[in-house]
């Protein structure tokens, strides 16, 4: 081929999306996140709250949510609407599947969004690795199978960051970013409908600081702020107004719920460092590279801080870093902490881990055998420590699944060996593909069905509901003293009136 003909061959842009890889990873995500959602595992307390409220939404409570006959204004209603809508297409059946499918689909969309973002902001290889890592991280695997509002809220938070980035980049290249900013405001409103005001600081703070750091705040007139206010008012305001008309003191209920929860007033008081081990746990196995990724970001910021406005790649590093660090600080300041609250920062943490994995690979190839030996020893040590902690926990709490844990441990060790071998040869995509497929399918087909075996059979809410049905005549008055047990109410399939305390029982 002549030099002229070589130049005529169209070249793929390094930061374009590999659509074939995206399609294959999407299929993998669907298989991992959606497999047997309605089988094996009964609804937990928080899931049953969603399922039961969706049942009562179908009975006509579309504006003011009700759970077991009582108002449930603690959470905004989007997840109830979606579960109720899905159930209405299934002859009104609200079950484990309809309660969990919104979380599963949200997780799939997060994979797609993060892969597209990483491909465009960095390069195609980073995009593929980010997609694979997002599919098979502990937090994404577990929470995709939990029917709560957290994963639903997280997908809209992720969408906000992705669409704002694309809109801003188009403005800076003197193109119209209107579509992306409109999508940003729509997702922001949906995020608020999914879980109250959390998206406001979770999205607003990192983006505001980014705009100040880069000087991109000067484009604010092109952010279509007036349109954003209108979109938010239309999508969110009508529901708020409807609730306030029906429940005049709703604003005080919301204030108590969100402010008191942030200040730790609901029994979730935990120290400021609680999320440090949690973020490593929830992004395993990729979080072994998270320190390296943080180091890459630090070196980039320290060495090229003056060049950040001139380089898209450095801007992307700063954008992801602020998304991760600012939101981590925001959630850590809160005294009311639970592990699933930090779901919105798992995607950037996974992306940072991928950057660390790629940088470590380059160092590995440059350093040669000496550094390879360090990698081998480190990998073995990390796997042994994680499995030892897992064995101790299982042996202490779930002896009935010790044998099953050994199988999972063997699969984990073999996957780690294959991954490390390919990784040391520089085959990052092959290594990550095998690890992602192995861990993802092992969770959905083997670990997830094990959950019932780890549960106390004497506390099975479905069996308890059947016993109550058999013991209570249809026309008898049946009450629940104190706070209702949401799984029992869900599986009993009838509203159980509550009495606040035993002293109020009239014989």
């Amino acid at each position: 081929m002549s030099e002229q003909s070589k130049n005529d061959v169209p070249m793929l842009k390094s930061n374009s999306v590999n659509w074939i890889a995206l399609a294959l990873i999407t299929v993998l995500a669907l298989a991992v996140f959606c497999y047997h959602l309605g089988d094996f595992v009964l609804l937990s307390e928080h899931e049953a709250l969603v399922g039961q409220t969706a049942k009562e939404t179908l009975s006509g409570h579309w504006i003011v949510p009700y759970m077991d006959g009582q108002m449930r204004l603690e959470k905004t209603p989007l997840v109830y609407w979606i579960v109720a809508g899905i159930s209405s297409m299934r002859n009104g059946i609200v079950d484990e599947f309809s309660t969990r499918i919104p979380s599963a689909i949200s997780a799939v969309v997060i994979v797609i969004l993060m892969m597209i973002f990483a491909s465009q902001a960095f390069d195609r290889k980073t995009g593929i690795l980010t997609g694979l890592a997002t599919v098979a991280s502990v937090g994404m695997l577990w929470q995709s199978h939990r029917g709560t509002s957290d994963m639903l809220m997280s997908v809209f938070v992720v969408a906000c960051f992705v669409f704002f980035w694309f809109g801003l980049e188009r403005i800076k290249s003197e193109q119209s970013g209107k579509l992306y900013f409109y999508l940003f405001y729509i997702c922001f409103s949906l995020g608020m409908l999914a879980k109250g005001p959390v998206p406001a600081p979770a999205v607003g703070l990192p983006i505001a600081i980014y705009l100040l750091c880069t000087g991109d705040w000067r484009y604010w007139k092109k952010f279509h702020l007036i349109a954003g206010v209108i979109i938010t008012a239309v999508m969110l305001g009508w529901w708020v107004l409807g609730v306030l008309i029906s429940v005049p003191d709703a604003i005080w209920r919301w204030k108590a719920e969100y402010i008191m929860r942030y200040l730790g007033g609901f029994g979730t008081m935990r120290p400021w460092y609680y999320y440090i081990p949690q973020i490593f746990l929830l992004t395993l196995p990729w979080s072994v590279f998270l320190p390296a990724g943080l180091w890459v970001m630090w070196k980039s910021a320290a060495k090229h801080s003056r060049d950040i406005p001139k380089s898209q790649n450095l801007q992307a590093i700063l954008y992801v870093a602020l998304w991760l660090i600012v939101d981590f600080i925001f959630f850590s300041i809160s005294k009311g902490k639970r592990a699933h609250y930090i779901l919105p920062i798992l995607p950037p943490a996974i992306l940072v881990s991928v950057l660390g994995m790629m940088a470590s690979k380059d160092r590995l190839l440059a350093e040669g055998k000496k550094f390879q030996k360090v990698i081998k020893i480190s990998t073995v040590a990390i796997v042994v420590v994680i499995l030892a902690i897992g064995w101790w926990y299982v042996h202490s709490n779930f002896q009935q699944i010790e044998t099953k844990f050994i199988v999972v441990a063997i699969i984990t060790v073999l996957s780690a060996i294959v991954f490390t071998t390919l990784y040391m040869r520089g085959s990052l995509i092959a290594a990550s593909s095998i690890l992602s497929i192995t861990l993802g399918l092992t969770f959905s087909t083997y670990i997830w069905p094990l959950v019932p075996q780890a549960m106390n059979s004497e506390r099975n809410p479905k069996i308890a509901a059947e016993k109550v049905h058999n013991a209570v005549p249809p026309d008898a008055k049946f009450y629940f003293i104190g706070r209702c047990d949401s799984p029992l109410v869900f599986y009993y399939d009838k509203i159980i009136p509550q009495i606040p305390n035993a002293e109020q029982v009239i014989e």
Side-chain angles (χ1 to χ4, degrees), residues 162-459:
V162 172
F163 290 137
F164 188 89
W165 170 266
F166 287 151
L168 183 60
E169 289 301 303
R170 288 185 68 84
I171 288 174
K172 288 157 65 176
S173 60
E174 299 183 351
Q175 302 179 63
S176 174
K178 180 186 291 187
L179 174 61
Y180 290 112
F181 284 111
Y182 280 13
L183 289 171
F184 168 83
Y185 294 124
I186 290 171
C187 291
F188 180 78
S189 302
L190 290 173
M192 298 275 279
L193 276 172
K195 203 172 181 183
V198 175
V203 173
L205 289 175
I207 288 179
I209 295 174
Y210 173 79
L211 293 175
L212 290 173
C213 289
T214 60
D216 289 342
W217 58 269
R218 64 185 182 275
Y219 298 112
W220 69 271
K221 292 183 179 180
K222 298 182 180 181
F223 293 169
H224 303 279
L225 295 174
I226 295 177
V229 171
I230 294 173
I231 290 171
T232 304
V234 170
M235 295 186 65
L236 182 64
W238 71 271
W239 176 77
V240 173
L241 182 61
V243 171
L244 289 175
I245 291 173
S246 303
V247 188
D249 68 338
I251 193 166
W252 299 106
R253 293 171 180 254
W254 289 328
K255 181 180 178 180
E257 164 67 17
Y258 293 108
I259 295 178
M260 289 302 296
R261 187 174 294 277
Y262 194 80
L263 296 176
F266 287 86
T268 55
M269 292 280 288
R270 291 188 172 96
W272 64 269
Y273 54 82
Y274 172 75
Y275 286 131
I276 294 177
Q278 291 295 330
I279 197 168
F280 278 91
L281 175 65
L282 294 174
T283 53
L284 280 172
W286 317 98
S287 54
V288 296
F289 296 102
L290 184 57
L294 293 171
W295 178 248
V296 167
M297 292 193 306
W298 173 258
K299 286 184 64 177
S300 298
K303 186 177 180 180
H304 305 288
S305 57
R306 295 181 180 179
D307 299 328
I308 284 177
K310 303 176 184 179
S311 170
Q312 182 182 17
N313 191 269
L314 289 174
Q315 281 186 311
I317 289 175
L318 179 63
Y319 192 74
V320 175
L322 290 174
W323 177 2
L324 172 61
I325 295 171
V326 173
D327 276 356
F328 182 83
I329 293 172
F330 166 73
F331 287 115
S332 294
I333 290 174
S334 169
K335 295 185 183 301
K337 298 181 177 70
R338 285 177 176 162
H340 57 270
Y341 287 176
I342 60 169
L343 264 178
I345 63 173
L346 297 192
I350 292 169
L351 175 51
V352 171
S353 299
V354 167
L355 294 176
M357 180 171 64
M358 296 175 71
S360 299
K361 185 266 297 182
D362 294 337
R363 175 78 183 276
L364 171 68
L365 295 179
E367 294 291 337
K369 293 184 178 180
K370 181 179 179 181
F371 196 68
Q372 290 182 15
K373 186 177 292 185
V374 173
I375 291 292
K376 289 179 181 179
I377 295 173
S378 300
T379 302
V380 172
I382 290 170
V383 172
V384 168
V385 168
I386 292 174
L387 291 178
I389 294 173
W391 170 257
W392 170 80
Y393 184 76
V394 169
H395 180 72
S396 301
N397 300 279
F398 309 107
Q399 294 185 13
Q400 64 272 30
I401 61 170
E402 285 182 351
T403 303
K404 307 283 183 153
F405 178 83
I406 293 174
V407 175
V408 173
I410 292 173
I411 294 173
T412 302
V413 170
L414 292 177
S415 300
I417 292 172
V418 173
F419 174 84
T420 305
T421 302
L422 293 172
Y423 177 78
M424 288 191 298
R425 294 179 179 178
S427 303
L428 276 186
I429 293 180
S432 300
S433 297
I434 291 175
L435 187 61
S436 181
I437 293 170
T438 303
L439 296 183
L441 295 182
T442 298
F443 174 84
S444 60
T445 61
Y446 191 80
I447 297 176
W448 177 247
L450 282 180
V451 174
Q453 297 182 36
M455 304 300 291
N456 186 345
S457 59
E458 296 179 358
R459 302 188 64 181

Side-chain angles (χ1 to χ4, degrees), residues 450-483:
L450 282 180
V451 174
Q453 297 182 36
M455 304 300 291
N456 186 345
S457 59
E458 296 179 358
R459 302 188 64 181
N460 187 311
K462 197 168 187 177
I463 294 176
E466 292 175 357
K467 290 181 178 179
V468 172
H469 264 298
N470 295 332
V472 178
D475 57 345
K477 292 183 179 180
F478 177 54
Y479 297 91
F480 202 99
I481 298 177
R483 182 183 178 185

